[in-house]
Amino acid sequence: DQQVKQNSPSLSVQEGRISILNCDYTNSMFDYFLWYKKYPAEGPTFLISISSIKDKNEDGRFTVFLNKSAKHLSLHIVPSQPGDSAVYFCAALGTGGFKTIFGAGTRLFVKA
Amino acid sequence: DGGITQSPKYLFRKEGQNVTLSCEQNLNHDAMYWYRQDPGQGLRLIYYSQIVNDFQKGDIAEGYSVSREKKESFPLTVTSAQKNPTAFYLCASSPIDYDGPNNEQFFGPGTRLTVL
């Protein structure tokens, strides 16, 4: 039973355009959502997070949107750069919890 | 520099042998985790620990064992009972913030285990 789902295994975007990575979740008790970025043969690194009391969080080129009613969040990267090519994992956890549930990841290709 | 280290980066073992993967952190984090990543799949939790001398099974604990004798260290043993041990293993640590969102995990560089 996947509580966090990333239904697109891959995404290809032209450099300079917007990348939109999507994530759906099933557990309404999740309070925090995070995005991690992973390069091959390396550990994931934290990118951006959002609390369930917000609907948007922005950090430079990265913006995460949360739609609680739809149990959906998305990561927007604008403008996309070739160095953004990586696997992006969506993750979720509940308040006071620390056990993070990860999605399967979406591989982003940014073409120069 | 603060961080989390895993060694070795690549490990080869014969089938039937137990092997221990090292994970050390100097971030003073209370929680530590072990994940496994297989091609085309996300991160699956093997074991996690909130405090020294205590740990809990994750989603795929069968064939694995851990110990947490020190806060800084959380070694994972892949036993011969693990049916498909060849994978990329990731260790992570995080603070435990019961009141807020500061539970982001910091990952090590990973160990790729190949069982021949």
Side-chain angles (χ1 to χ4, degrees):
Chain A
D1 178 29
Q2 279 187 292
Q3 297 188 65
V4 178
K5 300 177 185 178
Q6 294 177 259
N7 292 319
S8 298
S10 66
L11 174 68
S12 185
V13 171
Q14 198 68 36
E15 180 180 8
R17 307 294 285 266
I18 184 171
S19 295
I20 301 176
L21 294 94
N22 294 304
C23 178
D24 296 294
Y25 62 95
T26 58
N27 189 340
S28 58
M29 300 301 292
F30 288 142
D31 278 329
Y32 298 101
F33 303 90
L34 309 94
W35 285 93
Y36 287 83
K37 177 179 179 179
K38 183 184 182 300
Y39 292 116
E42 294 183 9
T45 55
F46 169 74
L47 191 59
I48 192 169
S49 65
I50 187 167
S51 164
S52 62
I53 63 173
K54 295 185 176 182
D55 54 19
K56 177 183 175 181
N57 188 27
E58 191 173 350
D59 183 2
R61 296 186 298 113
F62 303 91
T63 304
V64 56
F65 295 92
L66 176 62
N67 182 334
K68 282 191 69 177
S69 60
K71 295 192 177 68
H72 177 83
L73 66 155
S74 60
L75 174 68
H76 292 212
I77 306 174
V78 182
S80 300
Q81 299 173 354
D84 296 328
S85 298
V87 176
Y88 290 80
F89 290 101
C90 173
L93 70 165
T95 302
F98 55 93
K99 183 181 172 186
T100 304
I101 310 297
F102 286 87
T106 296
R107 183 177 296 277
L108 174 66
F109 299 92
V110 180
K111 298 175 287 187
Chain B
D1 284 357
I4 180 164
T5 58
Q6 291 183 244
S7 61
K9 193 164 180 65
Y10 299 96
L11 190 56
F12 296 88
R13 278 295 181 269
K14 291 183 179 179
E15 192 172 345
Q17 289 182 333
N18 291 356
V19 60
T20 297
L21 281 59
S22 166
C23 178
E24 303 278 331
Q25 54 101 0
N26 60 4
L27 299 167
N28 199 33
H29 287 165
D30 289 309
M32 296 188 75
Y33 316 78
W34 274 104
Y35 294 91
R36 168 181 174 142
Q37 186 186 21
D38 294 283
Q41 295 198 37
L43 305 179
R44 293 188 290 168
L45 183 64
I46 303 172
Y47 267 99
Y48 62 103
S49 168
Q50 295 174 257
I51 195 170
V52 174
N53 293 324
D54 188 44
F55 46 82
Q56 286 80 41
K57 292 181 178 180
D59 302 318
I60 55 165
E62 186 176 349
Y64 299 98
S65 66
V66 293
S67 63
R68 187 89 186 274
E69 297 177 2
K70 299 186 300 182
K71 186 176 183 177
E72 305 79 25
S73 179
F74 192 42
L76 172 75
T77 297
V78 184
T79 75
S80 57
Q82 167 51 231
K83 297 286 186 266
N84 293 299
T86 294
F88 188 55
Y89 290 88
L90 285 159
C91 180
S93 69
S94 76
I96 299 179
D97 181 356
Y98 293 104
D99 298 319
N102 295 322
N103 291 328
E104 68 183 70
Q105 296 185 13
F106 294 76
F107 285 84
T111 292
R112 182 164 297 283
L113 173 64
T114 302
V115 175
L116 307 171

